[in-house]
Amino acid sequence: MNPVVLCTVARMMAPVLLLFSLVLTVRGHDSPGGGFVGGLLATAAFTLLLVAQPEELVRRRPRVDPTRLAITGLLVALGSGLPALFLGRPFLTGLWAQVPLPGGGALKLGTPQLFDAGVYLLVLGTAMAFILGLLHGEEEEAREREG
Amino acid sequence: MTPPLLLTLPLLVCLGSAALAHLCPRRAWPRRGVALAAMLALTAVGLLLLVEVRRQGVLAVQLGEWAAPFGITLVADLLSALLVLIAGVMGLTVVLYSAATLAPELEAGAYYALVLVLVGGVCGGFLTGDLFNLFVWFEVMLGASFVLLALEAKQEQFEATLKYMTLSLVGSAVLLTAVGMLYGVAGTLNMADLATRLPGLERPGLVSTVAVLFLVAFSLKAGAFPLFFWLPASYHTPPVAVTTLFSALLTKVGVYALVRTFTLLFTQDVGLTHTVLLVMGGLTMVTGVLGAVAQYDVRRLLSFHIISQIGYLLAGLGLLTQEALAALIAFLVHYIFAKSALFLVSGATARASGTYDLQQMGNLYRSHPLLAALFFVPALSLAGVPPFSGFFAKLALIRAALRAEHWLIAGTAAGVGLLTLFSMMKIWREAFWKGHPQDPAAKQEAPSSVNVGWGVLGPCAALALVMGVLGLGARPLLELADAAAGQLLEPTGYIQAVLRRPP
């Protein structure tokens, strides 16, 4: 296998995959898709980059701690259920609003989309934590101990 | 507070604060603070929930307003509400005890987040109205417990975790199989919906098969005979705070699940299922208490007593009369407090004497008189000596067995009570009464041994106080238990609360 080919393809494909993961997440409310699949696809994009790039590059790249990303996602998902509670309705009840757009049409915004975003981050963070742990577990551990 | 809020808050508080605790800086005190606040909140919400359920009857909420048989249902009857309250109290006690006893680097790590996830899973199990969700909450709870068990990364803990995990996963597989089969038979997993459909099914043999599968799965989680081996193999290895949490809550979710399913769902073939429960209960009592006789490690000894006490609960369920179920609930409450207090005291004695081995201990009565008193209360209570809470619970259970004319189980329960007393007296004699083995002169003068502070003694004292209150004021508890048992035996209120169309 030629790493140059892999590297080039990965660099081209990763943004496309990331974009598609967002598309999947957004359309997920009414059609197949959603935060879970979107998060997995985003993980695939990042994993492709990780595998393709030379190791020094990966190590140098500034990173978000995937565990924290996952926990933020969890809090976002839990938080998306709260507005309904404040209105005296059951937790996680979907609340929707129509935002009129210039030039006709309207944008449908609601708490389930927030929930999907939370799930997206949660899945991405959890899966990345697993993969990074498997790729260089010992390195991570050392970093944890120092921090 | 409105029912949607009251029923969701226990889960939100636990899971949300678990996330918050993990986002806190890696130091002991902020994480401890988050856990402490969460457990106080959970206790308060549990109390409000209990009061509200007592006033209004069974409360139910459908998450996301998806109607009952299809959506996620949370239900609280008196039993669930009472257990959520107890989970809060025990969580609070364990967090306080952890703060006084655990190594700071453990506290600064994932410890509190895991404790909160575990308590959240336990509350989810108590509140869910759906069998598949019950399975999910079991997994949440077990996932957290696996990590808590191995958190100190000692070799014996890994060995214990391996055994515990293997058997738990077998149990989970059986549970999932049972859930799948039941869905195939009845076409629903909502417990209220199942309760209305199961009696009309054409294949009662298949339902009994599924019932026995559930019995196997839940009794494994509860630590009942003959599937209790994971419990004494693992419970003595983690720090005492973790063991206390496990003994107070983990097996109890198994017992709760048994009580829920075998009062609400599987009452068609009582001759088979509840006779099996009775026999299992009797055997669990006896094997547990006999297993304890041979032990000299305090924590192992107490672990075997967990099993023995689970037997009483199964026997109460097997009798299936209102009196027996009320006794079961009172016993459950008493026994969670008594057993937790004993574990906490065992941690304190180990701090005072430097060992968990009874043969190496001694003379604690002279050096730590307060500790001796704090051991004496839960020990006598567990054995069922008046005036402590255990006496009334055990008496009610034996009386229910006599009323139902199950002489054998009544005799077994009384006999096992005596053996329990013997076991407790063994700890008393070895740890507190006899002279210290290495130091015969210590009998005359109290050695200035390790000081056990109020951080350790406080939680023990609080639990001893609870036991005294539950013993001297046993009537309100027994009345509450009786009302809860009434709800279990007459489930129309439960079913109506769940299946009602949302407003």
Side-chain angles (χ1 to χ4, degrees):
Chain A
M1 189 172 60
N2 191 343
V4 176
V5 173
L6 184 64
C7 203
T8 318
V9 173
R11 257 183 228 157
M12 276 161 49
M13 286 303 292
V16 181
L17 283 175
L18 277 179
L19 195 65
F20 190 58
S21 81
L22 290 181
V23 172
L24 264 184
T25 308
V26 171
R27 82 196 278 266
H29 187 67
D30 297 318
S31 333
F36 195 91
V37 193
L40 280 182
L41 195 59
T43 314
F46 282 118
T47 313
L48 190 61
L49 278 180
L50 276 178
V51 175
Q53 282 178 347
E55 208 178 330
E56 308 88 71
L57 216 78
V58 180
R59 216 177 290 165
R60 219 173 340 118
R61 201 152 45 86
R63 273 213 312 261
V64 183
D65 176 14
T67 319
R68 275 174 190 264
L69 193 67
I71 290 172
T72 314
L74 178 67
L75 284 176
V76 169
L78 282 178
S80 76
L82 292 182
L85 270 185
F86 286 122
L87 298 176
R89 297 174 66 183
F91 181 64
L92 283 178
T93 305
L95 300 174
W96 291 95
Q98 301 273 355
V99 180
L101 288 179
L107 186 63
K108 222 173 131 196
L109 282 179
T111 51
Q113 290 165 334
L114 200 61
F115 184 79
D116 262 337
V119 173
Y120 182 94
L121 293 179
L122 180 58
V123 171
L124 176 61
T126 312
M128 285 314 292
F130 287 159
I131 287 167
L132 286 175
L134 287 174
L135 277 183
H136 30 182
E138 286 165 9
E139 211 177 300
E140 284 279 302
E141 253 178 33
R143 201 196 312 274
E144 288 257 298
R145 246 180 262 127
E146 283 162 27
Chain B
M1 277 200 266
T2 55
L5 197 57
L6 265 181
L7 282 167
T8 331
L9 266 183
L11 309 177
L12 278 180
V13 163
C14 292
L15 299 181
S17 57
L20 280 181
H22 208 78
L23 286 181
C24 281
R26 283 189 152 273
R27 276 193 206 93
W29 64 266
R31 300 189 169 201
R32 191 192 292 165
V34 169
L36 206 58
M39 286 306 152
L40 275 173
L42 181 63
T43 310
V45 171
L47 196 61
L48 280 175
L49 186 64
L50 186 61
V51 169
E52 207 61 18
V53 173
R54 192 93 168 99
R55 218 160 47 103
Q56 294 185 18
V58 183
L59 297 178
V61 62
Q62 320 295 337
L63 294 195
E65 288 188 356
W66 295 96
F70 311 109
I72 299 173
T73 307
L74 296 181
V75 211
D77 63 354
L78 279 173
L79 177 62
S80 313
L82 184 64
L83 287 172
V84 168
L85 172 62
I86 291 180
V89 173
M90 286 319 306
L92 188 61
T93 318
V94 166
V95 167
L96 285 173
Y97 194 81
S98 307
T101 55
L102 287 188
E105 59 269 22
L106 213 57
E107 281 191 279
Y111 176 76
Y112 285 117
L114 287 165
V115 167
L116 289 167
V117 169
L118 189 139
V119 176
V122 167
C123 289
F126 290 150
L127 287 175
T128 183
D130 180 289
L131 277 176
F132 184 74
N133 288 339
L134 182 64
F135 167 77
V136 173
W137 288 117
F138 260 118
E139 294 305 299
V140 169
M141 180 180 99
L142 288 175
S145 71
F146 296 153
V147 189
L148 275 175
L149 199 56
L151 204 57
E152 281 183 318
K154 290 180 188 162
Q155 191 178 350
E156 51 163 15
Q157 290 177 340
F158 283 129
E159 191 192 326
T161 312
L162 196 65
K163 291 174 187 162
Y164 172 61
M165 218 166 119
T166 312
L167 279 167
S168 294
L169 291 181
V170 170
S172 298
V174 175
L175 179 55
L176 193 58
T177 311
V179 167
M181 278 178 75
L182 189 61
Y183 188 68
V185 175
T188 178
L189 287 173
N190 183 295
M191 288 197 266
D193 200 25
L194 275 173
T196 59
R197 287 193 194 197
L198 282 182
L201 284 183
E202 283 165 15
R203 289 176 288 181
L206 202 50
V207 176
S208 294
T209 313
V210 174
V212 171
L213 268 181
F214 273 106
L215 182 63
V216 171
F218 289 144
S219 64
L220 192 149
K221 311 265 182 205
F225 180 87
L227 300 167
F228 59 77
F229 303 105
W230 56 272
L231 200 153
S234 57
Y235 270 29
H236 62 285
T237 56
V240 170
V242 175
T243 310
T244 310
L245 191 67
F246 283 12
S247 92
L249 299 178
L250 283 191
T251 46
K252 304 313 159 294
V253 187
V255 172
Y256 166 80
L258 276 174
V259 170
R260 179 63 72 208
T261 47
F262 283 86
T263 54
L264 184 64
L265 306 180
F266 305 119
T267 48
Q268 290 86 37
D269 194 2
V270 176
L272 169 69
T273 49
H274 289 68
T275 310
V276 172
L277 274 169
L278 260 185
V279 173
M280 273 173 72
L283 288 172
T284 309
M285 280 183 223
V286 174
T287 44
V289 86
L290 289 183
V293 169
Q295 301 301 325
Y296 272 91
D297 179 315
V298 193
R299 292 170 303 172
R300 262 179 193 266
L301 197 156
L302 291 175
S303 300
F304 273 102
H305 276 291
I306 298 183
I307 298 163
S308 166
Q309 308 292 315
I310 292 286
Y312 283 90
L313 300 169
L314 292 190
L317 180 58
L319 292 170
L320 201 70
T321 60
Q322 169 142 9
E323 210 183 0
L325 286 178
L328 183 164
I329 293 164
F331 195 92
L332 184 61
V333 174
H334 132 74
Y335 144 62
I336 290 177
F337 286 120
K339 180 45 55 70
S340 308
L342 282 174
F343 269 114
L344 293 185
V345 170
S346 82
T349 53
R351 284 175 92 77
S353 61
T355 173
Y356 284 101
D357 186 354
L358 283 174
Q359 286 163 322
Q360 309 283 317
M361 291 185 201
N363 213 26
L364 287 172
Y365 171 67
R366 266 166 225 274
S367 57
H368 298 82
L370 184 61
L371 189 59
L374 288 179
F375 168 77
F376 212 64
V377 173
L380 289 188
S381 183
L382 189 76
V385 174
F388 300 110
S389 55
F391 169 70
F392 296 99
K394 218 168 253 188
L395 181 71
L397 200 65
I398 292 175
R399 207 165 56 182
L402 291 177
R403 286 265 169 81
E405 306 194 343
H406 281 284
W407 315 114
L408 192 60
I409 204 81
T412 313
V416 169
L418 274 182
L419 284 173
T420 310
L421 187 62
F422 166 76
S423 244
M424 293 300 121
M425 286 308 109
K426 180 167 107 184
I427 301 183
W428 174 257
R429 196 183 63 232
E430 295 286 334
F432 293 94
W433 200 246
K434 76 167 197 259
H436 200 278
Q438 267 118 46
D439 187 10
K443 211 165 192 172
Q444 275 75 44
E445 47 181 311
S448 59
S449 52
V450 196
N451 196 20
V452 182
W454 274 105
V456 179
L457 288 180
C460 307
L463 289 185
L465 192 69
V466 168
M467 248 165 297
V469 170
L470 286 182
L472 294 175
R475 181 151 290 279
L477 175 66
L478 288 175
E479 275 169 10
L480 185 68
D482 195 51
Q487 282 184 346
L488 288 176
L489 278 181
E490 193 46 64
T492 42
Y494 183 95
I495 294 167
Q496 271 169 7
V498 174
L499 292 183
R500 182 189 52 200
R501 299 262 145 241

